C-alpha cells in the first residue's frame, strides 16, 4: 500500500508580514492575508491530491492573539479536510502554548491534537501508521522531550512529530526542546516530522528527518521559496520527500554589482536586469525585494547623498517591469569608494599633506577618543545608521580605522576633481 501525507509547520496564522507596511506602494491586502492564503492553498492541495492525512508540527498560531477569527478560520479549513475524509494531526509548539485558541476552541472531529502532558500515540489502523508526539505546555520548553517518546510500534510506519531547534539550536531560533540527530535516529522511527526551524532541511539515514520550513515567509529574513513537504511511502517503508512551494508572496534579496555604473540611471538599469531575472521562475508569485548595491563604485559618495532619488530610480524600473508582481522593501547601500592614488595630477602637495594628516589620525589617541565620543553621541540619536553604514559599528566599538578607510579615498577623489 502506498501512503501519502503532507508535513507542514510554522504557519503562524495571521502573523503580520514585516518590512513593507511603511511604504506607500506596499500591497496591504496581500500582506494582511498572506499566511491565511498560503494555508488555504495547502489545504486545497491536500484535498486535490487526496492525501491520507496532514501533519502540523507546531506554531500553527502566533502567540496569544485576542482575535478568535484566526481560530475560526482554522476550524473552517479543517472542516474542508473533514468533508474530504482527511485527518489532521496537530502538535502545539512554543507559540501555540500561549494561545487562547489552543485551549478554548473545539476543533472538528478529524483533528487530533497531541497532549502536552506526556507523549501521545495516534494510530491509523487501516494504514498501519503510528504517530508519536508531545505538544508544548509552556512556551519556554527547554527539556529534551524525545526521551519520553514511546517505542515504535512493530509492523507500523512510525512517525515522530516534534517541535525542536535540535541540539545547540539554529541561528535566530530559540533553543526549545533540544535533542540530537543521533537521538532521533536511535528512536527507531521511520520519519521525524519536525517544526520550529523556518528553513527546509532533510536528513536521510536510519530515519528520515525533516524540517519543512515555514509555509509563508514573513520578512526579509525569510527569503526564497517557502512551503511544506509531501511524503510518499511505498511497501519498503522508505519515505520519499518532495517539496511543495505554497508561499503567496515571496521575499528576495538581490545583490547588484554597480562597479561599472557612473550614474543613477546606470544603477537603475543594472538593478532592472536583476529584477527581470528574478521573475524567470515562479513568475506568478509576487516578490517583496531588498536591493543591495555593492562593488567599488565611482559614485559611492553620490549614492549615499541621493538615497531618496536612488530609491525612485529603482521604483521606476519596477513600475516598467511588473508593478503588480514586484514591491521594493529597501535599497541597501554596501558599495565601497574607489581607491585613489594622490599625486601631482590630483592636487599635488596639498592633497598629499591631507592624506598624511588623516593617516596620522590613526595614532593620535586624544583625537581618536574625541571622535569616538562624537560618533557615539550621533549613533545614540540615529541608531538606524548602523544598519546602513556597516563601518560605523566598528567605530562604535572603538575601531576608527574602517571609517577612515571609507572616508579617505572618497574625500581625496572629490577634492582632486575640484582642481
Amino acid at each position: 500500500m502506498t501512503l501519502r501525507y503532507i508535513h507542514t509547520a510554522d504557519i503562524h496564522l495571521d502573523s503580520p508580514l514585516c518590512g513593507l507596511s511603511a511604504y506607500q506602494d506596499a500591497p496591504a491586502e496581500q500582506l494582511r492575508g498572506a499566511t491565511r492564503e498560503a494555508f488555504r492553498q495547502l489545504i486545497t492541495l491536500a484535498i486535490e491530491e487526496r492525501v491520507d492525512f496532514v501533519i502540523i508540527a507546531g506554531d500553527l498560531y502566533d502567540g496569544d492573539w485576542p482575535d478568535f477569527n484566526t481560530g475560526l478560520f482554522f476550524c473552517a479549513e479543517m472542516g474542508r479536510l473533514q468533508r474530504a475524509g482527511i485527518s489532521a494531526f496537530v502538535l502545539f509548539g512554543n507559540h501555540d502554548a500561549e494561545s487562547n485558541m489552543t485551549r478554548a476552541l473545539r476543533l472538528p472531529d478529524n483533528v487530533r491534537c497531541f497532549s502536552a502532558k506526556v507523549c501521545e500515540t495516534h494510530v491509523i489502523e487501516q494504514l498501519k501508521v503510528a504517530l508519536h508526539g508531545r505538544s508544548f505546555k509552556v512556551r519556554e520548553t527547554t527539556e529534551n522531550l524525545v526521551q519520553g517518546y514511546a517505542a515504535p510500534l512493530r509492523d507500523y510506519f512510525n512517525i515522530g512529530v516534534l517541535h525542536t531547534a535540535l541540539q545547540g539550536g539554529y541561528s535566530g531560533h530559540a533553543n526549545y526542546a533540544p535533542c540530537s540527530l543521533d537521538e532521533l535516529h536511535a528512536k527507531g522511527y521511520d520519519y521525524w516530522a519536525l517544526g520550529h526551524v523556518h528553513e527546509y532541511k532533510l536528513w536521510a539515514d536510519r530515519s528520515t528527518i525533516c524540517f519543512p520550513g515555514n509555509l509563508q515567509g514573513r520578512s526579509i529574513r525569510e527569503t526564497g521559496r517557502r512551503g511544506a513537504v509531501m511524503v510518499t511511502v511505498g511497501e519498503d517503508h522508505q519515505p520519499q520527500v518532495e517539496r511543495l512551494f505554497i508561499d503567496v508572496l515571496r521575499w528576495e534579496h538581490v545583490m547588484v554589482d554597480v562597479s561599472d555604473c557612473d550614474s543613477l540611471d546606470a544603477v537603475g538599469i543594472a538593478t532592472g536586469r536583476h529584477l527581470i531575472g528574478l521573475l524567470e521562475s515562479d513568475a506568478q508569485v509576487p516578490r517583496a525585494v531588498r536591493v543591495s548595491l555593492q562593488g567599488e563604485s565611482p559614485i559611492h559618495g553620490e549614492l549615499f547623498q541621493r538615497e531618496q532619488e536612488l530609491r525612485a530610480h529603482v521604483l521606476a524600473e519596477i513600475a516598467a517591469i511588473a508593478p503588480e508582481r514586484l514591491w521594493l522593501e529597501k535599497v541597501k547601500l554596501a558599495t565601497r569608494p574607489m581607491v585613489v592614488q594622490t599625486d601631482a595630477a590630483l592636487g599635488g602637495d596639498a592633497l598629499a599633506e591631507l592624506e598624511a594628516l588623516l593617516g596620522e589620525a590613526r595614532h593620535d589617541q586624544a583625537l581618536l577618543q574625541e571622535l569616538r565620543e562624537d560618533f557615539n553621541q550621533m549613533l545614540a540619536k540615529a541608531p538606524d545608521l548602523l544598519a546602513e553604514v556597516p563601518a560605523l559599528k566598528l567605530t562604535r566599538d572603538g575601531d576608527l580605522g574602517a571609517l577612515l578607510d571609507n572616508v579617505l579615498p572618497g574625500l581625496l577623489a572629490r577634492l582632486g576633481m575640484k582642481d
Side-chain angles (χ1 to χ4, degrees):
M1 174 188 293
T2 298
L3 168 70
R4 283 202 312 161
Y5 58 91
I6 286 176
H7 165 205
T8 186
D10 302 288
I11 297 157
H12 296 277
L13 277 177
D14 285 349
S15 174
L17 272 62
C18 302
L20 283 178
S21 57
Y23 299 118
Q24 186 176 358
D25 56 323
E29 289 300 320
Q30 284 182 272
L31 290 177
R32 281 195 293 267
T35 53
R36 283 197 185 197
E37 183 57 29
F39 189 66
R40 184 183 289 114
Q41 290 194 19
L42 181 71
I43 298 305
T44 297
L45 180 64
I47 294 169
E48 290 175 349
E49 294 292 327
R50 299 181 180 181
V51 300
D52 294 295
F53 53 89
V54 173
I55 300 171
I56 300 175
D59 286 359
L60 166 64
Y61 302 124
D62 197 54
D64 194 9
W65 289 102
D67 187 355
F68 275 86
N69 286 324
T70 304
L72 295 176
F73 168 78
F74 177 67
C75 287
E77 293 304 305
M78 292 300 96
R80 291 176 61 205
L81 279 185
Q82 185 177 42
R83 292 189 290 277
I86 299 172
S87 296
F89 296 88
V90 180
L91 181 138
F92 297 124
N94 52 293
H95 282 278
D96 305 304
E98 296 182 347
S99 172
N100 288 329
M101 291 173 288
T102 300
R103 299 184 293 269
L105 288 179
R106 181 186 179 279
L107 298 172
D109 293 338
N110 64 318
V111 180
R112 303 181 191 179
C113 299
F114 290 97
S115 169
K117 296 178 181 178
V118 294
C119 175
E120 187 173 14
T121 299
H122 295 293
V123 173
I124 310 175
E125 196 60 53
Q126 66 272 29
L127 296 175
K128 304 295 285 184
V129 171
L131 297 99
H132 314 271
R134 179 180 169 185
S135 293
F136 280 26
K137 186 175 182 179
V138 296
R139 180 187 181 96
E140 305 293 334
T141 298
T142 56
E143 62 181 295
N144 186 338
L145 299 180
V146 173
Q147 295 173 355
Y149 273 52
L153 299 187
R154 186 176 180 181
D155 298 327
Y156 281 70
F157 184 82
N158 287 269
I159 301 172
V161 186
L162 177 66
H163 203 72
T164 178
L166 291 180
Q167 201 75 44
Y170 274 70
S171 176
H173 296 85
N175 195 23
Y176 295 139
C179 62
S180 68
L181 287 172
D182 286 341
E183 285 179 289
L184 297 182
H185 287 303
K187 206 70 188 182
Y189 295 167
D190 299 286
Y191 183 88
W192 278 98
L194 304 184
H196 186 52
V197 174
H198 287 193
E199 301 297 329
Y200 170 78
K201 187 68 178 177
L202 179 70
W203 296 268
D205 201 331
R206 288 170 287 169
S207 301
T208 297
I209 302 169
C210 184
F211 282 115
N214 57 338
L215 197 61
Q216 169 62 55
R218 297 177 298 151
S219 75
I220 194 62
R221 295 193 304 272
E222 299 175 347
T223 57
R225 301 167 113 187
R226 301 278 156 170
V229 295
M230 176 85 76
V231 184
T232 303
V233 184
E235 296 293 338
D236 60 359
H237 276 203
Q238 292 300 312
Q240 301 300 314
V241 179
E242 172 192 1
R243 294 193 71 182
L244 305 173
F245 299 110
I246 304 294
D247 51 348
V248 298
L249 190 151
R250 190 167 299 157
W251 299 82
E252 305 277 10
H253 193 173
V254 176
M255 310 289 187
V256 182
D257 189 333
V258 295
S259 300
D260 297 328
C261 298
D262 57 4
S263 68
L264 294 189
D265 280 342
V267 171
I269 292 169
T271 302
R273 287 197 295 267
H274 282 75
L275 295 176
I276 290 171
L278 199 63
L279 295 177
E280 291 179 353
S281 64
D282 296 339
Q284 77 284 359
V285 179
R287 306 301 215 280
V289 183
R290 174 175 291 185
V291 175
S292 284
L293 305 180
Q294 55 189 16
E296 192 174 277
S297 171
I299 56 170
H300 169 79
E302 186 177 355
L303 293 175
F304 278 89
Q305 292 171 14
R306 302 169 65 185
E307 286 189 73
Q308 290 303 315
E309 191 176 345
L310 173 61
R311 177 180 171 81
H313 275 74
V314 176
L315 286 172
E317 292 294 324
I318 287 175
I321 297 168
E324 74 288 351
R325 288 179 292 149
L326 286 172
W327 292 282
L328 182 62
E329 185 259 356
K330 180 184 287 187
V331 177
K332 187 175 177 64
L333 293 174
T335 56
R336 304 182 307 279
M338 296 190 73
V339 176
V340 177
Q341 298 296 327
T342 60
D343 53 27
L346 288 178
D349 293 341
L351 285 180
E353 287 179 15
L354 178 59
E355 182 178 18
L357 178 63
L358 290 173
E360 290 173 4
R362 294 172 178 271
H363 309 293
D364 188 332
Q365 295 304 315
L367 175 59
L368 291 177
Q369 181 60 34
E370 186 176 342
L371 287 173
R372 284 190 203 102
E373 292 173 358
D374 289 342
F375 276 119
N376 286 335
Q377 288 179 14
M378 177 186 72
L379 292 174
K381 296 177 181 178
D384 291 346
L385 282 175
L386 285 174
E388 301 300 331
V389 187
L392 289 179
K393 183 177 186 302
L394 294 173
T395 303
R396 183 196 63 184
D397 296 338
D399 180 8
L400 290 175
L403 186 66
L404 289 172
D405 289 340
N406 275 268
V407 169
L408 181 57
L411 177 61
L412 294 171
R414 186 166 293 275
L415 290 174
M417 287 187 286
K418 292 181 183 296
D419 274 6

